[in-house]
Amino acid sequence: MEQQVLQLLAATLESAPETRTNAERHLEQLYTNDAFPISLISIASHNSVEPPLRQAALLVLKTFVLRTWSQSLEEFQQGVTITDATKDQVRQSLLALATSGDQERKVISASSYVVSKIASVDFPEQWPSLLPTLLQLIPRSHDNQLHGVLVVLGNLVEDGFDEEQFGKSAVELVKCIYDIATDEGKKLTSRALAISIFRACFDTMELMYQTDKASVRQFMQEASDAWTPFFVSVLKIPLPRIPTDEQEDEAGPGSWRGIVALKTQVVKALDKIHRLFPHLLSQHTLSLFSTVWQSLQAHVGPYVTLYVTDNQQGRLEDADRLPYTLDFLVIEELDYLQTLFGSVTVKRELDAQLAPDKISNGALEGTWIAQIMAILVGYSQITQEDEGLWNFDVNVFLSEETSETANYSPRNASTGLVQKLTKWPVLESLLGYTKTTFEGAPSSNARAKEAALFVLKQILDELDSCSAEVNPNLARAYLEYIGLAMRDDDEFLRARGYILAARLTTISSAGLLDVVPEYAQQALNIIDQDDSDVVKISCIRSLQEYLKTLPSSRAREFQVQTVAAISNFLSSQDLSELKESEDLLDTLVETLRDAIMADPSLCLEHPALDVLFTMASYGASSFQTTMLVNEAFESITSSMAAKGPDAYSQLCAKVLPTLTGALDVGDMTSENALSDMAVSLLSSLAEHGLKPLPQNFVATVMPKLYRLLFSSNDFSLNQSATVTIRHLLSRDADQVFSWQDPATGKGGLEIVLLIIDRLLGPDVDDASAAEVGGLAVELVEKAGADRLGPYLMQLLRIVAVRLSTAEHASFIQNLVLVFARLAITNAKEVLDFLAQVQVEGGAGGTGLEVVLRKWLEHSVHFSGYDAIRQNIIALTNIYKLHDERLANIQVQGDLMVDNSSRIKTRSQSKRTPDRYSIIPVPLKLTKVLISELTNPLTPSTPGLMQNKLSGDSDDEDGEWEDEPNIIDLGNPTTTAELMAYADEAKWNVHQVDDDTQSYLIDFFKQASSEPDFETLYHGLTDEEREKLHSMDNKQPAQ
């Protein structure tokens, strides 16, 4: 069978798609053959087989395991059963391969990954020998075999253990990897892997800490006391001589690559300990701070040589994901030093060293603050790699400049460290260093000069964000060097000069506001005169600072010049490439927006809007660019509308042909993004319009929107078009109703009804129809029952039927509010109508049953003050009816909590979904209204683990100072943790205003005195009863 499988694997590597697909299908057909996984392992184990085929075998084996091994794996698919005997053979053979010491690192990594996946479901019950086998192998393994064992062990720690399993083996495991890490006879990369495993243990220890603090604390303290001296000794190891290209990959006890990898893992481990369990290292804080400080000083020279002077490649990891280049080590050291600056002990020591009696004549030369400035400037220098990228693509330069880049470098890490230093005299210290750099260094050393000004920019940003003042004398001293930079031959130094000039002169406390017009004019001139795009775009960006600072009367003087400068810059670019240059487009749009906002009414007199729409057309597919364009256009529209009907009509006359033309182009080219952009701008135009709208506004816009809504499946476009029609109804319903479509002869009312009918139909998904509820409500309120006639009941019936199948929370809210708005004034009529409607399907029944079930199950998730207020009033009106029909309708009640402490995965949730009690509508309605009494106006802040554990009550020594609740977006760890909160379910946007709270409290005071309420009260939980008892305390202050 091996030969057959080998041929199929070779076919999967062919370039022809049909050949690959057929081979993959044939491989899947072999899943039912017990010999198949064994054949794959056998192929992967043969050194005579080409490495790509060995890797392909393991890739297919991984897919096989994920789909067939256990229902506990998320990718599991029913249909194939593996015998226990086959599983046992696979486990043993695969572990043997992973720990064989094979020279092919990728084979070891791939086989180890499959082992960890099997272990995640089989260990320890079906595979009790796994961990003992690994721990027994470690002491007697040769280098290559040890590498495989450590990779398997690392994957097991990261993915295979739960807290209970880890707790049973933690002491032996940590002792075993400690012996490897400290054994100088082992390969440096193996020792680095051992430290990486130790660091991974902390994730599990953190979970255990929540339930058994005392035991975990004792264990971690003992481990920390044993490991810390070793860590310090590694940090003190000097770097060897920078290797030549031939020497770089050499192994050995003193190899550059191995030592960098080892030191990097040490710093990563220390940083993790400090972030999760800061008290463990309290007694070593000063020693660690001093050691890392000295390391950073020692590494500046090699770093500059490798990356600033030469063009060595950085950000490299080996097959085991171990970083081994110096830039990675420097980043970790800078980040760790930033962590250590949060220590009270460190701050106290640094303050003492800057005491007046310790500084000769107040001079800062030679002090730690001067040393840290030298460190920051050294690591902030532009590397050869960055210079090449920025010259090739100015968009990359902008992404770095705005800190919106995924390329986290020592330059970025230095920025984070600067934020920790502004309580000390950093401006004074940096001025001395800047003076030396500009006056004493060789004139060709532009990189050091640019770096000094880059650090100054970060300091000024931080001081400004804290509203700290800048000494005017220092500001003027710096301005001299900024002027030199602006006139330098080096384009990056010139660009830095113009950026920094705008930053410094616009800080009010710096006393330089009088020169802002002069520097703004210089920036405008340079945009047309300089040959460098980097300098030009820096000047364009600097205009944002100037325009926001200048008085409106002076800012208006620069508006025409700014628009012309942006227009000229655009004309010099290859517009076909703009779609890929998001940061560049955003910068241009932001500057144009600020120029327009100096006086929006002037935009009718020059081509500002034409330039804006040009950039909008190229950036239509970018969310950020679209948002900026909408923001600018919304400001223009609202400003023009505030000036009266004539100004607003002039604006409409200017922009409507362009926007409707864009819709035609988008329709012809099938560019939904362009159409969506145009519709969004039309929506802003209608939303801020005056009543009545200009003549023929509806006739110009409605045919385009009607066509789009009946031809497009793009959810965003459908939403925007629906909202636009709602705004048209809100602003000028009479013009909508009096309009007649020339193509069909149908009137405006019929057209809107047809649009609603389509959006509520089964062929339109929830996302596309998300705004139709608001349109339906607007139509009902503006047209009234008399104009709608029999269409009203038909409309409400369609809404009820569509609600029965709706799944998206926002769409459900949108549809429910149709009935909620009507129930505010006619609650009984709404219930009577719904009782007559029959809804077919699995979730069917009467309209009353369908609507109330959806309504009450999702009310607690509604968002928006108006929506929540309307919902609460509607529900209280329904409650007051005491309608007997409601008691016969059963709905979802409280969650039935599983007492298990085991974390439930997505796959487990699918197999064992949450269960709820079943209760009658009146009780559910009462529970929903009680839940609104909680008034959750202080949702949980995204929990950065450092802040959470730093403030733990167990940290008796108070070593770590409470930091302000500021999130450092420059730190990659912070970014990763924030990204984990992107799921909307983790954000609480359900907020109730004080007036609605008062209304609810009065309602319950009245309802609780009624005889029927006692029966409902017995069905409440203890927490709900407590909320009712504490209502007097929740009465908002008037």
Side-chain angles (χ1 to χ4, degrees):
M1 186 179 190
E2 286 184 22
Q3 192 60 37
Q4 177 190 4
V5 174
L6 191 58
Q7 291 173 354
L8 290 173
L9 291 173
T12 63
L13 302 179
E14 293 290 336
S15 58
E18 185 176 354
T19 303
R20 289 200 312 271
T21 302
N22 289 335
E24 290 167 358
R25 184 173 65 252
H26 281 102
L27 286 169
E28 290 176 3
Q29 292 171 355
L30 295 174
Y31 278 13
T32 56
N33 192 321
D34 286 346
F36 177 62
I38 307 302
S39 297
L40 291 171
I41 298 173
S42 178
I43 291 170
S45 302
H46 279 300
N47 290 325
S48 59
V49 178
E50 291 293 324
L53 288 173
R54 300 177 67 192
Q55 295 168 34
L58 291 169
L59 180 62
V60 172
L61 180 65
K62 180 193 75 170
T63 305
F64 170 80
V65 167
L66 293 176
R67 291 180 181 178
T68 64
W69 197 270
S70 170
Q71 293 184 3
S72 297
L73 294 170
E74 293 182 11
E75 298 88 345
F76 179 79
Q77 297 176 0
Q78 298 285 353
V80 178
T81 302
I82 310 175
T83 65
D84 290 341
T86 301
K87 284 187 174 182
D88 185 60
Q89 190 175 357
V90 168
R91 283 191 287 259
Q92 301 309 319
S93 301
L94 194 59
L95 180 60
L97 171 60
T99 60
S100 64
D102 196 294
Q103 296 287 343
E104 193 63 43
R105 287 285 183 104
K106 291 182 179 180
V107 169
I108 296 298
S109 296
S111 56
S112 299
Y113 178 80
V114 184
V115 168
S116 70
K117 283 300 179 183
I118 296 175
S120 68
V121 292
D122 286 2
F123 177 80
E125 288 83 3
Q126 286 79 39
W127 203 356
S129 63
L130 174 59
L131 184 60
T133 299
L134 293 173
L135 296 181
Q136 290 169 12
L137 282 172
I138 286 178
R140 50 190 174 85
S141 297
H142 56 78
D143 282 340
N144 288 335
Q145 186 181 21
L146 178 62
H147 165 259
V149 174
L150 290 174
V151 171
V152 173
L153 186 60
N155 285 328
L156 186 63
V157 170
E158 290 183 2
D159 301 318
F161 277 138
D162 62 21
E163 297 94 299
E164 181 180 356
Q165 295 161 359
F166 180 82
K168 292 178 180 178
S169 56
V171 173
E172 185 180 4
L173 171 63
V174 172
K175 171 67 168 57
C176 192
I177 58 178
Y178 174 81
D179 291 341
I180 297 297
T182 56
D183 186 348
E184 296 183 2
K186 301 295 184 184
K187 290 178 64 175
L188 290 167
T189 50
S190 295
R191 297 172 66 192
L193 262 178
I195 298 171
S196 176
I197 296 171
F198 177 63
R199 176 168 55 89
C201 291
F202 280 85
D203 292 322
T204 307
M205 296 304 298
E206 180 198 350
L207 296 175
M208 296 175 63
Y209 188 73
Q210 308 305 315
T211 57
D212 190 4
K213 291 186 178 182
S215 299
V216 172
R217 186 186 181 98
Q218 179 181 354
F219 171 77
M220 292 308 300
Q221 189 65 64
E222 292 173 356
S224 174
D225 290 344
W227 283 78
T228 302
F230 162 65
F231 285 161
V232 172
S233 67
V234 171
L235 291 178
K236 290 181 178 180
I237 297 175
L239 290 177
R241 186 189 302 271
I242 296 177
T244 62
D245 293 340
E246 295 76 16
Q247 297 171 332
E248 187 173 0
D249 294 330
E250 290 182 359
S255 72
W256 170 276
R257 181 169 172 170
I259 288 180
V260 170
L262 183 68
K263 291 167 77 72
T264 301
Q265 291 306 312
V266 165
V267 181
K268 288 169 73 73
L270 285 168
D271 194 39
K272 190 155 198 172
I273 296 172
H274 260 122
R275 288 192 298 108
L276 297 184
F277 304 99
H279 55 274
L280 296 178
L281 298 174
S282 296
Q283 59 181 323
H284 305 287
T285 299
L286 282 179
S287 173
L288 288 169
F289 182 82
S290 175
T291 303
V292 175
W293 182 287
Q294 292 169 11
S295 294
L296 280 169
Q297 286 181 308
H299 297 163
V300 169
Y303 176 83
V304 172
T305 299
L306 287 170
Y307 305 111
V308 179
T309 304
D310 296 334
N311 191 16
Q312 294 294 321
Q313 188 174 0
R315 296 187 291 275
L316 296 178
E317 297 179 342
D318 65 14
D320 303 315
R321 295 177 299 171
L322 289 178
Y324 63 84
T325 50
L326 182 60
D327 57 332
F328 269 136
L329 173 58
V330 168
I331 289 172
E332 296 299 336
E333 289 176 332
L334 287 169
D335 284 344
Y336 185 40
L337 195 67
Q338 182 179 341
T339 299
L340 291 171
F341 264 104
S343 164
V344 173
T345 302
V346 168
K347 290 180 178 180
R348 189 182 299 123
E349 174 62 24
L350 295 177
D351 284 336
Q353 292 186 23
L354 292 180
D357 59 326
K358 297 289 182 68
I359 301 177
S360 175
N361 299 321
L364 296 173
E365 290 83 356
T367 63
W368 70 263
I369 193 71
Q371 295 173 24
I372 195 66
M373 289 297 105
I375 291 173
L376 292 173
V377 171
Y379 291 122
S380 295
Q381 294 182 66
I382 300 172
T383 64
Q384 290 283 340
E385 180 184 8
D386 285 339
E387 180 179 350
L389 289 172
W390 297 355
N391 275 321
F392 178 74
D393 187 357
V394 71
N395 196 66
V396 179
F397 166 76
L398 278 174
S399 66
E400 294 279 353
E401 193 63 28
T402 55
S403 299
E404 294 176 358
T405 175
N407 176 23
Y408 189 68
S409 65
R411 184 174 169 104
N412 304 123
S414 298
T415 298
L417 187 53
V418 164
Q419 297 171 356
K420 296 286 187 178
L421 301 174
T422 51
K423 63 169 286 187
W424 290 291
V426 286
L427 280 178
E428 292 83 349
S429 178
L430 182 61
L431 180 60
Y433 190 89
T434 304
K435 180 178 180 180
T436 301
T437 303
F438 272 83
E439 297 177 4
S443 58
S444 61
N445 192 9
R447 292 292 170 269
K449 297 175 183 177
E450 193 279 339
L453 297 184
F454 173 83
V455 172
L456 174 59
K457 169 71 162 48
Q458 310 314 312
I459 294 173
L460 293 176
D461 285 344
E462 181 64 16
L463 290 174
D464 193 42
S465 69
C466 301
S467 300
E469 294 189 353
V470 176
N471 186 305
N473 293 327
L474 289 175
R476 292 197 175 273
Y478 275 117
L479 199 59
E480 178 182 347
Y481 300 113
I482 292 172
L484 293 174
M486 293 164 64
R487 298 187 295 273
D488 199 89
D489 292 336
D490 184 88
E491 61 178 314
F492 297 110
L493 182 53
R494 289 202 307 280
R496 178 62 51 204
Y498 285 105
I499 292 171
L500 192 53
R503 176 78 279 223
L504 182 61
T505 58
T506 55
I507 296 176
S508 58
S509 62
L512 297 173
L513 295 180
D514 57 316
V515 301
V516 166
E518 174 190 343
Y519 278 85
Q521 189 61 57
Q522 285 187 44
L524 279 166
N525 296 339
I526 289 297
I527 295 172
D528 292 328
Q529 297 170 5
D530 205 290
D531 295 330
S532 169
D533 279 351
V534 170
V535 175
K536 289 181 179 181
I537 200 61
S538 297
C539 290
I540 290 174
R541 190 163 182 263
S542 71
L543 288 172
Q544 298 173 24
E545 302 268 8
Y546 295 131
L547 290 167
K548 292 174 183 176
T549 303
L550 287 167
S552 57
S553 59
R554 296 300 304 274
R556 280 197 296 269
E557 299 174 8
F558 289 97
Q559 187 185 77
V560 175
Q561 295 182 70
T562 302
V563 172
I566 294 174
S567 179
N568 292 338
F569 180 80
L570 274 176
S571 64
S572 69
Q573 301 296 304
D574 184 350
L575 297 183
S576 63
E577 296 180 356
L578 276 181
K579 291 183 179 180
E580 307 300 325
S581 303
E582 183 175 332
D583 293 289
L584 174 59
L585 267 177
D586 291 348
T587 297
L588 295 174
V589 172
E590 286 173 326
T591 305
L592 183 62
R593 174 202 61 195
D594 293 338
I596 290 173
M597 292 313 299
D599 189 347
S601 63
L602 295 179
C603 67
L604 298 180
E605 302 173 7
H606 51 69
L609 287 172
D610 296 330
V611 176
L612 180 66
F613 292 155
T614 297
M615 291 189 289
S617 66
Y618 286 101
S621 59
S622 164
F623 172 79
Q624 178 69 11
T625 304
T626 301
M627 184 179 68
L628 291 170
V629 170
N630 277 320
E631 178 185 317
F633 188 70
E634 185 176 348
S635 300
I636 295 169
T637 304
S638 58
S639 176
M640 298 300 284
K643 292 181 178 298
D646 290 341
Y648 179 75
S649 296
Q650 291 176 27
L651 176 64
C652 291
K654 183 175 180 65
V655 303
L656 278 178
T658 302
L659 297 179
T660 54
L663 288 177
D664 292 335
V665 172
D667 187 34
M668 289 186 293
T669 59
S670 299
E671 290 190 37
N672 287 332
L674 179 60
S675 297
D676 191 18
M677 170 79 81
V679 173
S680 296
L681 297 177
L682 282 173
S683 181
S684 293
L685 192 64
E687 180 183 8
H688 297 283
L690 301 176
K691 300 179 181 180
L693 293 171
Q695 189 176 4
N696 293 325
F697 191 109
V698 172
T700 303
V701 173
M702 275 297 288
K704 312 286 186 182
L705 300 176
Y706 178 44
R707 186 189 72 245
L708 282 173
L709 286 167
F710 273 81
S711 62
S712 173
N713 294 319
D714 182 80
F715 77 93
S716 180
L717 183 54
N718 282 328
Q719 288 181 14
S720 299
T722 306
V723 170
T724 304
I725 296 175
R726 175 164 62 85
H727 290 321
L728 294 178
L729 279 172
S730 174
R731 292 299 176 187
D732 198 341
D734 291 338
Q735 189 175 156
V736 174
F737 296 145
S738 63
W739 167 70
Q740 190 171 37
D741 182 24
T744 62
K746 294 180 173 62
L749 176 60
E750 186 177 359
I751 291 291
V752 176
L753 285 169
L754 288 171
I755 289 171
I756 293 174
D757 182 66
R758 166 171 161 71
L759 292 174
L760 290 174
D763 296 333
V764 179
D765 58 38
D766 285 9
S768 294
E771 298 294 341
V772 69
L775 176 60
V777 169
E778 198 69 47
L779 179 64
V780 170
E781 292 184 350
K782 288 297 190 291
D786 293 338
R787 191 190 293 265
L788 285 171
Y791 292 121
L792 175 59
M793 296 298 105
Q794 183 180 351
L795 172 63
L796 296 179
R797 180 184 178 281
I798 295 173
V799 173
V801 171
R802 188 67 176 87
L803 183 60
S804 69
T805 61
E807 297 179 353
H808 288 198
S810 61
F811 185 40
I812 292 172
Q813 172 180 325
N814 205 258
L815 295 181
V816 164
L817 288 178
V818 174
F819 299 104
R821 292 273 285 269
L822 294 172
I824 290 175
T825 55
N826 300 290
K828 186 176 187 306
E829 287 80 354
V830 171
L831 297 189
D832 291 343
F833 164 75
L834 289 174
Q836 300 170 19
V837 174
Q838 285 295 321
V839 178
E840 305 296 334
T846 67
L848 189 61
E849 295 170 338
V850 169
V851 171
L852 285 178
R853 284 190 185 119
K854 287 279 187 175
W855 190 340
L856 294 174
E857 288 174 14
H858 292 85
S859 281
V860 293
H861 304 301
F862 284 6
S863 61
Y865 285 120
D866 289 340
I868 294 172
R869 179 166 52 249
Q870 292 166 12
N871 182 54
I872 288 174
I873 295 173
L875 289 177
T876 55
N877 286 349
I878 292 174
Y879 176 92
K880 292 174 184 177
L881 294 175
H882 298 291
D883 194 308
E884 294 181 357
R885 293 172 293 188
L886 304 186
N888 298 321
I889 301 175
Q890 302 294 307
V891 296
Q892 187 182 88
D894 298 324
L895 175 66
M896 301 171 69
V897 180
D898 184 359
N899 292 326
S900 172
S901 60
R902 185 179 179 87
I903 297 175
K904 183 181 286 189
T905 64
R906 286 194 296 269
S907 58
Q908 291 169 338
S909 297
K910 291 177 183 177
R911 295 195 303 273
T912 57
D914 293 333
R915 295 181 298 126
Y916 293 84
S917 61
I918 304 299
I919 59 177
V921 164
L923 178 56
K924 178 68 174 181
L925 199 155
T926 306
K927 286 174 171 288
V928 168
L929 291 174
I930 290 174
S931 71
E932 302 293 358
L933 286 170
T934 57
N935 196 18
L937 290 175
T938 53
S940 299
T941 302
L944 300 185
M945 204 58 59
Q946 176 181 356
N947 293 339
K948 180 179 73 174
L949 292 178
S950 293
D952 196 289
S953 59
D954 292 333
D955 191 13
E956 295 95 347
D957 58 9
E959 165 65 15
W960 297 90
E961 188 176 86
D962 290 336
E963 296 287 347
N965 195 18
I966 297 174
I967 298 175
D968 176 16
L969 294 177
N971 190 312
T973 303
T974 305
T975 305
E977 289 173 340
L978 286 177
M979 290 302 292
Y981 283 82
D983 182 357
E984 63 180 10
K986 291 193 171 73
W987 291 100
N988 184 355
V989 295
H990 188 93
Q991 299 181 353
V992 184
D993 61 89
D994 288 347
D995 289 340
T996 306
Q997 281 287 289
S998 299
Y999 172 87
L1000 263 180
I1001 291 172
D1002 291 340
F1003 163 78
F1004 274 114
K1005 286 182 177 178
Q1006 179 181 351
S1008 61
S1009 63
E1010 298 174 356
D1012 294 344
F1013 191 79
E1014 184 176 352
T1015 302
L1016 297 174
Y1017 182 82
H1018 291 302
L1020 301 177
T1021 64
D1022 292 340
E1023 182 183 358
E1024 290 165 341
R1025 294 174 186 175
E1026 179 60 30
K1027 289 176 185 175
L1028 289 177
H1029 292 313
S1030 61
M1031 281 191 304
D1032 291 338
N1033 296 329
K1034 288 187 177 291
Q1035 182 72 46
Q1038 301 295 322

